[in-house]
């Protein structure tokens, strides 16, 4: 997903809005990963949570 975020081409406002909806909107794919975090074993939750946060931060930086 990080490659998808980094490779997303934003050439106009329509592309920017599609990016926002896909990665930062209320029903985005990153939010789905946070929902699945409850299925991760306790010893791996911290590491997985950090990786998901990295995705969220990368998406926010690209959007900004």
């Amino acid at each position: 997903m990080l490659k998808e975020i980094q490779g997303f081409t934003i050439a106009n406002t329509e592309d920017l809005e599609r990016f926002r909806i896909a990665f930062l909107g209320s029903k985005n794919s990153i939010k789905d990963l946070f929902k699945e975090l409850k299925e991760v074993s306790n010893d791996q939750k911290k590491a997985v949570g950090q990786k998901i946060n990295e995705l969220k931060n990368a998406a926010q930086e690209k959007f900004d």
Side-chain angles (χ1 to χ4, degrees):
M1 190 178 297
L2 183 58
K3 287 182 182 180
E4 186 178 352
I5 290 168
Q6 293 171 338
F8 197 102
T9 303
I10 300 173
N12 54 45
T13 56
E14 291 172 2
D15 292 341
L16 184 63
E17 182 62 8
R18 285 187 308 125
F19 180 86
R20 185 193 67 77
I21 290 169
F23 298 109
L24 300 170
S26 61
K27 295 182 180 180
N28 70 66
S29 54
I30 297 172
K31 190 177 276 190
D32 291 340
L33 294 176
F34 278 113
K35 289 178 186 175
E36 293 180 28
L37 189 59
K38 64 184 174 189
E39 304 296 326
V40 176
S41 64
N42 286 337
D43 60 326
Q44 294 181 338
K45 265 188 189 174
K46 183 178 179 180
V48 173
Q50 288 174 340
K51 291 294 184 185
I52 298 171
N53 278 325
E54 287 176 18
L55 287 173
K56 182 180 173 188
N57 292 337
Q60 187 64 54
E61 287 175 14
K62 183 161 182 117
F63 179 78
D64 291 344

